[in-house]
Amino acid sequence: VLTKTEEQVLALVDREEVTTFMQELIRARSDYPPGDTREIAQLCVDMMSEAGIDTKIITPPDTVVSPLNDGVPNEMKATVIGTLQGESESPSLLLNAHMDTVAAGDLSRWKHDPFAGVIEDGYIYGRGAGDDKGSVCAQVMAATYIARAAVPLKGTLFVNPIADEEAHAWRGARWMVDERILVPDMAIVGEQTDNEVAVGERAIIFCDVTIKGKAAHGAMPWAGNNAILRMNEFINLLRSELEPALQENGHPYLPPTTLSPNTIKGGTRTPIIAEECTLTIDCRLSPPVTHDQVVKGMEDLLKKLSDRGPAFEWHIETPNVDRGFVTDVEEPVIQALLSAYKDVTGREPVPTGYNQHSDGSRFARLNIPIAIFGPSDPRVGHAANERVSIDQLVEATKVYILAILRLLS
Ligand SMILES: [Zn+2]
């Protein structure tokens, strides 16, 4: 059931305007590398400031250094903060979505120019249409319509189109959280959830497993210890024992724990028994599964194989470890989104989890409740012919509007 104010603001939502703004966002290229967000940041600032929202653009100082060492100057990493100040500072709500995108990839696989914002059959095509400019568009437009309607808010709204997410956020969310640039009471991170309400995401651990066997002449395998064969046995145990065991526990709203072996490198030449083999595994952990459980589980398997013989050496490195988060469904930020979803779509909302990883896990370090919500099918992100449905984009804008009003007015 909508209040008069809610109806008033929703009536301002203009499909044409939302569509045009989305096309402009796609045309302002921000693909990484270098992920230059200056042009798209200015578009967000212009849209919000014309509606009376206080806006500024911030960039990390030179002391902030990305370990990616990509040579991209910090001045390209423009992040926007729009502030709609209500009666008091709190409660404060952060809307966050990233403006940078991945590269377009093989252009021959696109049916339209990925930076033109072409419309076909109710979809807007382009790199970032889903990941994550659709969410940027819906958040900026939602705040803009509320500002135009001059609805008095009790608390404070921050709109934060951010840089550097696709480069692991060292010059974006990690920096903002480290420096406590924004410390809101709650947050909605815009990522592609197909407009479903996600309560969290899994933790990440990348494991590089190296097995060291013994080289020998390729004609006499019995004289060596083939690291590729030992790795093959390890992969089989990973799939048949460790992953199913870890999947016995998991969060009801999140996908199960997955251990995906994604690169493998072993041996030197065909006539030589492979001495060394390295496997990299992308592990996504559904709570309560912990980092230690995963690494310990792999160590136990390697030890078991080595003890069985022929014995070998091994080691595990973890080059990328990041936390996840799960927000209680009863938190106001989740409840507001669920009720907004119901009132906008007429469908019964079912809380879900986000399949990927987002800046939400960085803001989770502030120990605040966080939801993930945004338009577009997550399967089109990072792929050719990325697109967002205009219906869904407008729907997301409306859900954001109701959620903001219910949390802040
Ligand atoms: Zn994204």
Side-chain angles (χ1 to χ4, degrees), residues 97-98 100-101 130-133 165-166 189-192 354 356-359 382:
H98 65 94
D100 62 326
T101 70
D131 190 6
D132 192 27
K133 296 184 180 186
E165 198 270 351
E166 297 291 3
V189 172
E191 286 279 8
Q192 318 90 84
Y354 182 52
Q356 287 115 297
H357 201 252
S358 76
D359 274 342
H382 296 201

Side-chain angles (χ1 to χ4, degrees), residues 327-392:
T327 299
D328 193 312
V329 179
E330 297 308 319
E331 283 289 340
V333 69
I334 304 290
Q335 287 297 317
L337 276 171
L338 292 172
S339 77
Y341 174 95
K342 188 173 184 190
D343 289 343
V344 171
T345 68
R347 298 190 297 269
E348 206 50 50
V350 181
T352 183
Y354 182 52
N355 284 324
Q356 287 115 297
H357 201 252
S358 76
D359 274 342
S361 286
R362 284 120 207 180
F363 285 103
R365 277 163 44 208
L366 298 171
N367 289 315
I368 55 170
I370 296 171
I372 304 182
F373 172 86
S376 183
D377 180 338
R379 284 169 300 188
V380 306
H382 296 201
N385 299 316
E386 184 175 359
R387 62 196 176 274
V388 64
S389 129
I390 297 173
D391 285 344
Q392 221 181 46

Side-chain angles (χ1 to χ4, degrees), residues 2 8 12 28 30 39 46 114 124 167 224 264 334 390 393:
L2 300 178
Q8 235 170 20
L12 294 180
S30 51
E39 189 185 346
D46 291 347
I124 306 172
I264 188 163
I334 304 290
I390 297 173
L393 192 59

Side-chain angles (χ1 to χ4, degrees), residues 125-252:
Y125 281 78
R127 175 52 82 227
D131 190 6
D132 192 27
K133 296 184 180 186
S135 291
V136 171
C137 177
Q139 292 184 348
V140 167
M141 292 313 299
T144 297
Y145 290 125
I146 288 173
R148 284 184 193 164
V151 180
L153 297 181
K154 281 204 194 94
T156 303
L157 175 66
F158 299 114
V159 189
N160 177 218
I162 201 168
D164 212 41
E165 198 270 351
E166 297 291 3
H168 303 174
W170 298 98
R171 295 158 292 198
R174 289 181 205 260
W175 162 60
M176 286 189 61
V177 170
D178 285 346
E179 295 299 320
R180 299 288 191 272
I181 289 171
L182 282 179
V183 186
D185 296 319
M186 54 197 155
I188 305 174
V189 172
E191 286 279 8
Q192 318 90 84
T193 63
D194 240 342
N195 281 0
E196 301 292 326
V197 180
V199 300
E201 60 195 26
R202 294 171 297 172
I204 291 186
I205 176 168
F206 287 0
C207 290
D208 298 358
V209 177
T210 298
I211 287 179
K212 226 174 155 187
K214 187 170 167 252
H217 197 290
M220 299 183 294
W222 56 84
N225 186 4
N226 192 322
I228 291 176
L229 292 178
R230 301 292 84 76
M231 190 62 85
N232 178 42
E233 290 160 359
F234 172 70
I235 293 171
N236 287 338
L237 290 180
L238 194 73
R239 306 280 300 155
S240 65
E241 288 186 15
L242 185 56
E243 191 178 58
L246 294 173
Q247 285 179 346
E248 278 171 22
N249 291 307
H251 195 277

